[in-house]
Amino acid sequence: SGPAGHTAALYLSRATLKPVMFEGFLANGFAAGGQLTTTTDVENYPGFPEGIMGTVMMDKFREQSIKFGTTIYTETISKIDISTRPFKLWRESKEDQEPDTADALIIATGAAAKRLNLPGEDKYWQKGISACAVCDGAVPIFRNKPLAVVGGGDSAAEESLFLTKYASHVYVLVRRDKLRASKVMANRLLTNPKVTVLWNTEVIECKGNGELLNSLVIKNNQTKEIKELSVNGLFFAIGHAPATDLVKGKLDLDEDGYILTKPDSTCTNIEGVFAAGDVKDKKYRQAITSAGSGCMAALECERWLSEHFAE
């Protein structure tokens, strides 16, 4: 029910294929609409020069899907059988009942950014705390302010360097005494004058003024020293977890659990099953790229159906 799912539904419904969407009932911990329902201003999606609230954007996606003929159920699919066609899908809490069936299936269940569940984290989520620097780094509350990034891999390095365009300074908080990032990325990070890496450092609390984040309580896990770091933004760069429990053992997944698709395609290893959006994309993870792959999945799905079914 995110940009990938709704774009796929829109293309399929306009092709008069009458798609059915199961948008989930708090599936993967999100309301219908996915990760964008947890964001505030979206300023990097084309067509909205003044920006748009994430929840408002997903409401518009949903309205458009319905307008062109998509049937939407606010229910979660908890079990599937894709070993034979038609594919069988069971709704949550109705696993003992007759399944829904489908001739083709697009998996667009998304992914969730890993969080630390710190004291104050929920209070200041999207009020200074984010899991996507590319999405949120340029918003006014972060401009010319000190910011912090948690993580030590390539993603953390990339996000930290991206934030230097907007921040007054960027602190990178690394749990260990070295970076996991590639040598090239690590060198770029360590030589950037706007970056300070704090080694052996963990965040233990997020603090603010009630409205916005303004500091972190950090701890050196070697010396046990605890101090406060004044920052106006905290970005998690500790990875994402794709929502693929539903298809484990049924579709080919990579080592991180993302659905594997054929090169330049949304086709999975099972004919008639396609994957779109963040559930297959661990590189870009943007609303616009998710929508693009939803379009690809719909076009490939429509073509596959036309080749295998007379009507």
Side-chain angles (χ1 to χ4, degrees), residues 48-64:
F48 301 97
E50 304 303 320
I52 184 171
M53 294 287 287
T55 51
V56 175
M57 171 182 273
M58 293 322 302
D59 285 344
K60 288 182 176 295
F61 272 52
R62 192 177 191 274
E63 289 171 15
Q64 194 168 359

Side-chain angles (χ1 to χ4, degrees), residues 133-240:
V134 175
C135 310
D136 301 327
V139 301
I141 62 171
F142 298 132
R143 285 183 178 270
N144 300 310
K145 301 288 177 60
L147 307 175
V149 175
V150 174
D154 278 341
S155 292
E158 288 173 9
E159 299 224 338
S160 300
L161 290 169
F162 176 84
L163 289 172
T164 59
K165 301 175 184 178
Y166 308 103
S168 61
H169 199 78
V170 177
Y171 296 93
V172 184
L173 313 182
V174 184
R175 285 185 306 172
R176 305 191 300 171
D177 60 357
K178 60 182 178 181
L179 294 166
R180 290 182 292 104
S182 64
K183 200 167 185 178
V184 171
M185 289 304 300
N187 185 59
R188 288 178 187 169
L189 189 70
L190 295 171
T191 57
N192 192 299
K194 292 184 73 174
V195 172
T196 298
V197 178
L198 301 179
W199 307 106
N200 303 309
T201 299
E202 299 177 23
V203 184
I204 58 176
E205 186 180 356
C206 306
K207 301 173 78 173
N209 59 11
E211 297 295 328
L212 294 171
L213 179 84
N214 59 27
S215 70
L216 303 173
V217 180
I218 59 175
K219 177 181 179 180
N220 184 298
N221 55 34
Q222 297 298 306
T223 65
K224 308 305 179 186
E225 178 189 7
I226 294 175
K227 61 182 180 180
E228 202 159 314
L229 179 68
S230 295
V231 293
N232 295 91
L234 170 63
F235 293 84
F236 294 138
I238 52 177
H240 286 69

Side-chain angles (χ1 to χ4, degrees), residues 5 15-16 19 24 51 56 59 92 99 107 118 122 151 163 194 196 207-208 216 247 250 270 283 289-290 305:
T16 68
V56 175
D59 285 344
E92 194 171 63
I107 308 290
L118 302 164
D122 285 341
L163 289 172
K194 292 184 73 174
T196 298
K207 301 173 78 173
L216 303 173
V247 298
K250 300 177 176 69
I270 300 292
K283 183 176 182 180
T289 52
S290 289
L305 286 169

